Amino acid sequence: MPIRSVRNNFMAKKLTKKFKDDVPEIPFTFDFYLVYWEDIQSDAGWKTLKEIQRMKPAICVSTGWLVKNDKKVHVLMSDYNYEENGELADGGNTTVIPTKNVIKKFKIADL
């Protein structure tokens, strides 16, 4: 499926579940992104030279709050938790992507 149609399907879905009053708000101002990026592709098996020459990098998709974005890296954090007082405690499920590997990124609104 082409990247554009995947994006359109993902972006077309609306949030239908509302937060209950006892759910704390998101404790930071980072934006949430869907990021397409290239990664290394390797194979330890035997292949013909033509098969090897046709190999390409893997296209990956990651989502999360973009907590760092500079010339060297894009850092996504997909999970976080709270202290008992409602403050941000820890972040988890992080992905560090070299900026030169980022193909395209889409900001996800309404979070």
Side-chain angles (χ1 to χ4, degrees), residues 4-84:
R4 183 170 299 221
S5 59
V6 169
R7 182 183 141 255
N8 290 342
N9 288 342
F10 186 85
M11 303 294 277
K13 294 181 181 180
K14 294 187 178 187
L15 297 174
T16 56
K17 198 171 191 181
K18 297 196 179 212
F19 288 113
K20 294 181 179 180
D21 293 337
D22 61 343
V23 174
E25 290 188 19
I26 296 172
F28 45 77
T29 58
F30 300 110
D31 293 320
F32 196 87
Y33 278 85
L34 179 138
V35 180
Y36 285 86
W37 56 286
E38 278 188 319
D39 198 7
I40 294 169
Q41 181 89 292
S42 64
D43 187 336
W46 292 99
K47 294 184 180 294
T48 67
L49 182 57
K50 287 185 181 194
E51 289 173 313
I52 293 168
Q53 290 172 330
R54 285 193 301 263
M55 292 177 72
K56 296 180 180 179
I59 303 298
C60 304
V61 179
S62 296
T63 57
W65 284 273
L66 189 59
V67 298
K68 183 176 180 183
N69 176 14
D70 62 25
K71 290 180 180 181
K72 292 192 175 228
V73 296
H74 281 58
V75 180
L76 297 170
M77 174 185 73
S78 296
D79 302 317
Y80 63 91
N81 59 34
Y82 294 93
E83 297 286 354
E84 286 186 26

